[in-house]
Amino acid sequence: MSRLLTEEEIERQLEGLPLWSREGDAIVATIEAPDFPAAIRIVAEAAEVAEEMNHHPDIDIRWRTTCWLLTTHDAGGLTQLDIEQAHRIIEIARRHGVTVGE
C-alpha cells in the first residue's frame, strides 16, 4: 500500500499541478477539451494509464468538459500515485489541445 502524503507534501506538489485542487481526501480537476471527440480521447488515454498504474480515477464527462477525482481509497487519502496520475492526465490533455496554465 502507498504511503499517505503529509499536508505539506500535498500543498507543495499541488503547486506544480495546474488545474488540480484539494477537495478533502482527494484532488480534483475540471478539464475542458476543444470538442467532444477530444474529451473522449483524453478519457480513453487516461483509462490506459489507469490500467497501467492499477489506479483508477473517478471521471465525469459532460460534452467537452471532463471532471476528475483522484484519491487512493485503500490508503484513505492522497498518495504519490494520485500526484503521478494527475501529471499524466495533464500531459494527455495537452496533447489533445487543452491549454494548461503554469
Side-chain angles (χ1 to χ4, degrees):
M1 177 172 17
S2 296
R3 174 185 71 79
L4 284 174
L5 297 174
T6 66
E7 292 299 318
E8 181 179 301
E9 290 171 321
I10 294 166
E11 287 178 25
R12 183 173 30 85
Q13 296 216 42
L14 280 175
E15 290 174 6
L17 281 170
L19 304 180
W20 291 88
S21 61
R22 179 83 180 271
E23 191 172 284
D25 288 336
I27 56 174
V28 297
T30 299
I31 299 173
E32 191 168 321
D35 53 34
F36 182 70
I40 296 303
R41 287 190 297 271
I42 292 166
V43 170
E45 284 188 37
E48 290 178 25
V49 167
E51 282 296 299
E52 289 170 14
M53 296 178 74
N54 192 30
H55 191 62
H56 303 89
D58 292 343
I59 308 166
D60 181 46
I61 306 166
R62 307 285 170 118
W63 185 41
R64 64 184 190 145
T65 302
T66 57
C67 298
W68 305 78
L69 183 140
L70 293 170
T71 190
T72 305
H73 296 287
D74 60 350
L78 291 164
T79 68
Q80 195 60 38
L81 277 174
D82 302 303
I83 301 301
E84 289 175 28
Q85 193 167 51
H87 280 288
R88 293 186 71 184
I89 291 167
I90 288 173
E91 290 171 18
I92 292 166
R94 282 185 171 129
R95 284 198 307 270
H96 290 283
V98 175
T99 302
V100 179
E102 298 302 321

